Amino acid sequence: MSHPSDAAAPRRADALAFVLLGVLGALWGLTPVIGKSAFQLGATPLGYVFRSALTASLLLLAIGVARRRVMPLDAKGIWFHLGSGLIGFAAPNLIGFLALRHVPAGLFAMVIPAAPLLTFVLAALTGQERPTWRRFAGVAIALAGTLLALSPGAALPVGGDRFWAFACLAVPASYALSNIFTVRFRPGGADPLALACGTASGAAFWLASASLLPGEPWGALSLLRPPEIHDAFAVAQGTLTAVAYAIYFRLLTRHGGIFASQVGYVLVVTGLGWGAAVFGEIPGLLVIPATVLIFAGLALVTSPAREDQSGQKNSRSGIATTTTTISSGKPSGQ
């Protein structure tokens, strides 16, 4: 994760910043739709996620080389790439892809904003973030909205698969663990975009290794067969992941983590919109109070920390102010 304190003082957001924020939310809202479309065309989870990770890593590598910011390849750097690639990319994307076989794509838009909430809880438990009643209240309110969104009659249709709906929570939980891992183990002084490339590369490594397990026919081995139409969706998702990284880090480094965290609001709206436009997913009326609760909770958790009487900010690290990290490919699903 790159915190606001890692860069120069955040600039005041201009019109371009808000446009990029909207584009980022639209991209992250679109990726579950791409994943669900690929599944309907016959994609397998391991092969699909591997191709998207490989595409993202190659594009990010090209950007890094062009900007002379390559990922660290010493022992600490390799350890970080492998860990963040597993926790923050390979695992959540595989879980998301499996879940998208059973739940609406728009449902992910209601679940992914739980990542910064769970990150704050874990950070408070590990001493990386100073707990406050305001933020704990925000976590409780937003998670209540998330659970309401997962109930039949909201983002989940009546009669929908509740097991896979709640399994979707493993995706933001994995992103939250990745946030904590990143803060603890990231190589000092490394460029965030270079670490993003390392994360995608680490994920591709794990997915390629998994393809060699007995009984698993695809993964990296899918490169040996003739291309199919769903492979184009995997490449598209990997490309969107790389583009989203570039936008996200521009917003993060120029305008700070608090501004960048507002993409969670855009993600909810655009994710539901893409699901309705592509698959005709019409959520129930309960999605309205669920969205209100999620927005209210996010506002409490991601708003600037107040200053106490000693002038110290309540937030020690700013860890809970970002929606995703360099290791979270985005709610890609995915």
Side-chain angles (χ1 to χ4, degrees):
M1 177 184 299
S2 177
H3 302 307
S5 59
D6 293 336
R11 306 176 186 177
R12 185 172 182 177
D14 52 15
L16 177 60
F18 283 101
V19 170
L20 292 176
L21 191 74
V23 172
L24 180 61
L27 292 178
W28 279 346
L30 177 61
T31 49
V33 172
I34 296 176
K36 193 174 184 70
S37 299
F39 158 68
Q40 294 180 344
L41 292 171
T44 59
L46 193 57
Y48 179 83
V49 178
F50 169 77
R51 283 177 177 265
S52 63
L54 182 63
T55 301
S57 65
L58 292 176
L59 289 175
L60 291 169
L61 178 62
I63 295 173
V65 170
R67 299 177 61 184
R68 298 182 180 179
R69 297 177 180 178
V70 296
M71 58 184 182
L73 294 177
D74 56 2
K76 185 175 182 180
I78 293 174
W79 155 250
F80 173 83
H81 303 326
L82 292 176
S84 61
L86 178 62
I87 303 170
F89 199 127
N93 277 269
L94 278 174
I95 295 170
F97 188 93
L98 290 170
L100 281 170
R101 296 181 170 191
H102 308 277
V103 301
L107 183 143
F108 269 88
M110 309 293 292
V111 172
I112 296 302
L117 311 174
L118 298 175
T119 299
F120 168 72
V121 172
L122 292 175
L125 292 175
T126 57
Q128 297 180 18
E129 184 84 6
R130 180 178 299 172
T132 65
W133 286 110
R134 174 176 60 87
R135 283 184 166 173
F136 272 124
V139 169
I141 292 171
L143 290 182
T146 301
L147 294 177
L148 181 59
L150 295 176
S151 62
L156 182 69
V158 175
D161 194 322
R162 300 191 68 178
F163 170 82
W164 282 106
F166 281 93
C168 293
L169 291 173
V171 176
S174 185
Y175 290 145
L177 288 172
S178 176
N179 291 347
I180 301 301
F181 178 89
T182 300
V183 170
R184 176 67 179 82
F185 295 108
R186 64 174 178 169
D191 180 75
L193 200 58
L195 295 182
C197 177
T199 294
S201 300
F205 169 81
W206 287 117
L207 295 163
S209 301
S211 68
L212 302 178
L213 295 175
E216 178 52 60
W218 295 120
L221 299 179
S222 64
L223 296 176
L224 303 178
R225 60 165 170 75
E228 299 183 41
I229 184 62
H230 55 73
D231 295 328
F233 284 78
V235 173
Q237 180 167 313
T239 302
L240 290 182
T241 297
V243 172
Y245 271 139
I247 295 175
Y248 176 71
F249 286 118
R250 175 188 171 94
L251 294 176
L252 188 66
T253 56
R254 296 194 179 192
H255 305 289
I258 292 172
F259 179 81
S261 71
Q262 295 178 81
V263 73
Y265 304 111
V266 184
L267 175 59
V268 170
V269 176
T270 58
L272 290 173
W274 283 120
V278 177
F279 298 113
E281 298 172 355
I282 306 299
L285 292 178
L286 287 178
V287 79
I288 298 176
T291 301
V292 171
L293 290 173
I294 292 172
F295 280 12
L298 283 173
L300 290 173
V301 173
T302 63
S303 59
R306 296 178 180 177
E307 307 219 342
D308 58 29
Q309 294 180 352
S310 65
Q312 299 291 327
K313 286 188 176 182
N314 287 334
S315 174
R316 293 176 180 173
S317 64
I319 190 174
T321 62
T322 52
T323 301
T324 186
T325 67
I326 57 157
S327 53
S328 63
K330 124 83 200 215
S332 51
Q334 281 150 311

